[in-house]
Every structure is written in C-alpha cells, then in structure tokens.
Amino acid sequence: MQKPQCLVPVIATPNGTLVHPAYFLLVGIPGLGPNIHFWLAFPLCFMYALATLGNLAIVLIIRVERRLHEPMYLFLAMLSTTDLVLSSVTMPKMASLFLTGIQEIGFNICLAQMFLIHALSAMESAVLLAMAFDRFVAICHPLRHASVLTGPTVAKIGLAALTRGFVFFFPLPFLLKRLSYCQTRTVTHSFCLHQDIMKLSCTDTIVNVVYGLFIILSVMGVDSLFIGLSYILILKTVLELSSRGAALKAFNTCVSHLCAVLVFYVPLIGLSVVHRLGGPTSLLHVIMANIYLLLPPVVNPVVYGAKTKEIRSRILHMFSQGGR
C-alpha cells in the first residue's frame, strides 16, 4: 500500500509563517517488530472489550437501581463514564495501529485526541477527589453526610469536574498550532500527548512548557494533595475508633477508591517526572504512558465490581438470570 504524501501547509501569520504537517506518524512500542505488534493487538482488543463492558455495566446498574442513587455510587458512575470515553479515545486507534501497521494520524485529529486524553484525565482526577471527599465526610462526619452531599450538590460537582477539564485543557491545541513543525513527524507513542507533540516543534516552546507545567500542578497536583489530606484525616479518625472491627469496616469502604487513586496517580506522576527531566523519549516513557491510559479503565470496574457488595450481587444476579 502506498503511503499518502506528507503535504506541509504553510500558514501566514503576522509573525511569519507556520509549518504544519498534514499528519503525524504514531509508533507502537519501540523495538518491537510488526509481527509482535500484530499479536499485541488481540490482548489490546480484549482489554478494550473488558473496559467497555465493565464500565458500561456499572453505569447501567447504578442507573437502574434506585437504591444505589447515593453519592458514592453516583461518583462511581461518573468515574466509569469517564473511563469508558477515555478507553474509546485511545484503544481503538492503538489496535488499528498494531493490526494494520498504518501509522498516519491527521494533524487536527491528533490535536483533538490529545485534548480529549488530557481533559478526560483531568475529569477523572476531579472525580477521584470528589470520591475522597465523600469518604471523608462519611467516616469523619457521618451525621452530616446526607445534608452535605445532596443530589444537587453531587450534580454540581460533576458539572464542575467537566467544566474544569474543558477550560484548563482547551488552550492546548491552539498553543500547539502556533508552533512550526519542520523536523521529524514521528510521535513516539501510540496516541497523541501534549509533551510528545511539543518536542517535534523546531520553534520556541517555552509557553507550552510553562502552561503544561501550570495545569499539571494546578489540576492533578492540587487534586492529589487534597486526596492525600483527606486520607490523613480519615486515618486519624479510624485510629481513634474504640472498636477494631468498626475501624476495619470503616477503612474497608475506602479500599476500592485507594486502588483507583494509586492506579491513576502513580503512572501519572512517573510519566510527568520522566518527561520533565528531558532527553529523548525512551521505552520507559512509552510503557508508563500506556499504563497510565490503558490500566485504569480496565482495573477500576474489576476492583469496584469485586469490592462493592451491591454491584457484585447485582452482576451475579444478572449472570444467574442469564444462565436459566
């Protein structure tokens, strides 16, 4: 198959001309040949199917079961919805890359994917913070839980998470469009990330670097700080309980959320650190980026399905009914 020609639009601006490639070239996993990439597409498709079915099942169960219309489960539905969209933005294109070997992705499509990946990640971070706040109020101030986290309040928190993710990351595509790309067009991941595209520019990227660092610190950094503070206060309250059984029961309600926080933030922090250290993109960058984007949508529904009694019983009931 003949590859399309790489047309280079030249855009006139008051400050000169901007050179934008017609497309970027995605890379799967560096060092692996096309045959290995081909076989990796099948477990990737399985992961996508698992993520889609798992997150969709959680959303539908919470939607149908009125007794699950409580803050903890409503936030879980938001988390599953975010994971569902995030996996659909990344995994199908990766599977297509691995299966067909076609690396091209249009310039504007790449920027749109980049925006969605970062904005959805910010939304997931906000939902994880909201879930930490829910656990904090439920354990540290149980008598005030129903009055603090009302239905309208939960809806406003969800809207705020959506708005923040859109507003903070909306400038990124335009900041990348103000750059010229006159060197290599190879994006060394299987998807488009701001840091990766920025490194392909041959013009000054100081604005992108500063703004990227600002939003990472003010969004994910602030969220992780408050999540940590919430769990310090939760742990303090749990340790003060006179009954060991009550303490274990209280802390057990946080296990699923803690798993989700670790799965999301550990790869994110590691990925941010290795990118900020500079140097060429390595296999470590690629693996950490894949873990950061692909693991949470698959792991979260499994963890919550296994640890949340109400959802687990509903899923088992669905399977038992289907087997008759």
Side-chain angles (χ1 to χ4, degrees), residues 53-218:
L53 292 175
N55 287 295
L56 193 59
I58 287 178
V59 172
L60 292 177
I61 288 171
I62 294 173
R63 173 69 180 84
V64 171
E65 293 287 340
R66 294 194 62 82
R67 62 192 178 92
L68 297 182
H69 291 184
E70 299 176 5
M72 179 174 70
Y73 300 110
L74 294 176
F75 287 135
L76 175 57
M78 294 179 194
L79 183 68
S80 293
T81 302
T82 305
D83 281 339
L84 189 61
V85 180
L86 184 59
S87 61
S88 297
V89 169
T90 55
M91 292 189 190
K93 179 59 182 176
M94 282 186 67
S96 173
L97 170 65
F98 288 177
L99 279 172
T100 65
I102 298 176
Q103 298 177 278
E104 293 85 359
I105 180 170
F107 179 76
N108 289 322
I109 295 175
C110 185
L111 296 187
Q113 186 192 51
M114 179 274 304
F115 164 73
L116 288 173
I117 287 174
H118 290 296
L120 289 166
S121 297
M123 294 174 202
E124 182 153 349
S125 177
V127 174
L128 289 173
L129 174 59
M131 296 173 84
F133 178 68
D134 170 68
R135 291 299 85 206
F136 162 72
V137 177
I139 293 173
C140 301
H141 305 284
L143 298 179
R144 299 180 57 189
H145 185 262
S147 60
V148 172
L149 285 168
T150 61
T153 301
V154 171
K156 289 177 183 176
I157 291 174
L159 181 61
L162 180 65
T163 303
R164 189 189 67 162
F166 180 84
V167 170
F168 272 82
F169 290 91
F170 185 71
L172 287 185
F174 300 98
L175 289 177
L176 290 171
K177 275 197 167 187
R178 57 178 284 279
L179 303 176
S180 283
Y181 302 87
C182 20
Q183 296 178 358
T184 177
R185 297 174 179 85
T186 302
V187 179
T188 49
H189 287 92
S190 306
F191 33 76
C192 298
L193 296 176
H194 174 252
Q195 306 96 313
D196 215 19
I197 301 173
M198 180 181 66
K199 289 181 179 179
L200 301 181
S201 172
C202 55
T203 50
D204 185 19
T205 59
I206 185 63
V207 175
N208 297 70
V209 172
V210 171
Y211 187 74
L213 184 60
F214 165 73
I215 54 180
I216 283 291
L217 293 177
S218 59

Side-chain angles (χ1 to χ4, degrees), residues 15 51 77 161 166 173 187 248 275 308:
N15 297 324
F166 180 84
V187 179
L248 289 174
H275 270 295
T308 308

Side-chain angles (χ1 to χ4, degrees), residues 268-289:
L268 171 63
I269 293 172
L271 184 62
S272 299
V273 168
V274 294
H275 270 295
R276 292 301 180 278
L277 290 178
T281 302
S282 65
L283 181 61
L284 177 63
H285 292 73
V286 176
I287 292 174
M288 291 184 70

